[in-house]
Structure formats: C-alpha cells, structure tokens
Amino acid sequence: MYDAVFFDLDGTLIDSESVAVRTGLASFRQMGHPVEAEFFHTIIGKDNPTASRMIAAAFPHLDVAALNASWTDGFQAAMATEVPLKPMVHETLAAISLPRAIVTSSRRAEARNKLVGAGLDPYFSHVVVLEDVASAKPSPDPYLLAAGLLQVDPKRCLVFE
C-alpha cells in the first residue's frame, strides 16, 4: 500500500482552471489581444514563469508583465468570492487516513489563499509550492521534498495530478 498521498491543487482539487480561463480571456481582451479559450489549454498547469514565456513567444508585441498584472488582479478578485471545488473533494479527503500534502506549482500566498478559501487547509500537514524547489513540476523535486517533509519513502506515495 501507500504511506502518504500527494495532491496537486489547481485542476485536481480546485477548479481554478475555469476561473483562470475566464479572467485570462478578459485580460487579453483588455490588452487588445483577444484569444480563443483553446490557447489557455496550452498554458494551464504550467508554472507562471513558463506560461509567461509561452505567452511572450505567441504574442511578441504584447506587454506580458501588464497582462499578467491584469490577469492576476482579475483572478484573485474572482477567487476571493468563489473557490470552486471539483466534485466530492471534501468527502474524498475526509476518507483518507494517510498523511497528505499539497504539491503545486502555485506560489505560497496563492496556494494558501486557495486552500483557506476552499476550506481545504485542515486536510494537509504540508504544502510544497514553487518557491520551495529549484525545479518545478514535472521535475521530481517537489514530490521528493513532500516525501521528505512527511518522512516517507517517495516510492510509497500516491500522487493525484
């Protein structure tokens, strides 16, 4: 069996992707660069620096810093009023008796706000975020750190992504 369970946050426990797409589309429109929702599916799940590089490559004349500021403001405002969960999240987490950790590419403050806003923070003893590792997911670094924090063998951990 397993000794611990790791969960990704965005798209696995929290349906932040729908909020990100909605607010991202609005930010692109505000910047005068309307895009299709399909474009967002190429950057969803990527850490912010990687997504920014992908946006800059696709839109070389776009002020990516201004876009990110607008998008972040819109996303945070939306998440302050709604933190949509995937179905059965509370029930699933409550049924797991093993130690649990979050392993996310989100930044610490962002992850904390989502966990608290969704009422998920009591389920997790550790939260591994982008700032905690030299290499973000899919690198093994965040998972190895989580296993170390929980003092378990990484080979005996179940990961939900």
Side-chain angles (χ1 to χ4, degrees), residues 108 127-135 141 145 149:
R108 186 172 320 287
V127 179
V128 175
V129 298
L130 183 62
E131 294 99 329
D132 292 331
V133 293
S135 298
D141 293 3
L145 177 57
L149 291 169

Side-chain angles (χ1 to χ4, degrees), residues 19 23 69-82 109-110 113:
V19 178
T23 58
S70 169
W71 190 356
T72 297
D73 289 347
F75 181 80
Q76 289 176 346
M79 291 296 282
T81 60
E82 62 170 305
E110 182 182 338
N113 289 341

Side-chain angles (χ1 to χ4, degrees), residues 99-122:
R100 297 169 297 257
I102 290 289
V103 179
T104 180
S105 293
S106 292
R107 297 199 177 276
R108 186 172 320 287
E110 182 182 338
R112 176 60 50 211
N113 289 341
K114 291 173 189 174
L115 287 167
V116 170
L120 299 179
D121 55 317

Side-chain angles (χ1 to χ4, degrees), residues 54-66:
M54 293 171 71
I55 292 168
F59 302 94
H61 301 294
L62 178 64
D63 182 345
V64 176

Side-chain angles (χ1 to χ4, degrees), residues 37-86:
E38 290 76 29
F39 173 74
F40 287 92
H41 296 291
T42 66
I43 60 174
I44 286 179
K46 306 285 192 281
D47 59 88
N48 287 340
T50 300
S52 292
R53 286 191 298 274
M54 293 171 71
I55 292 168
F59 302 94
H61 301 294
L62 178 64
D63 182 345
V64 176
L67 172 76
N68 282 338
S70 169
W71 190 356
T72 297
D73 289 347
F75 181 80
Q76 289 176 346
M79 291 296 282
T81 60
E82 62 170 305
V83 183
L85 294 177
K86 293 289 189 169

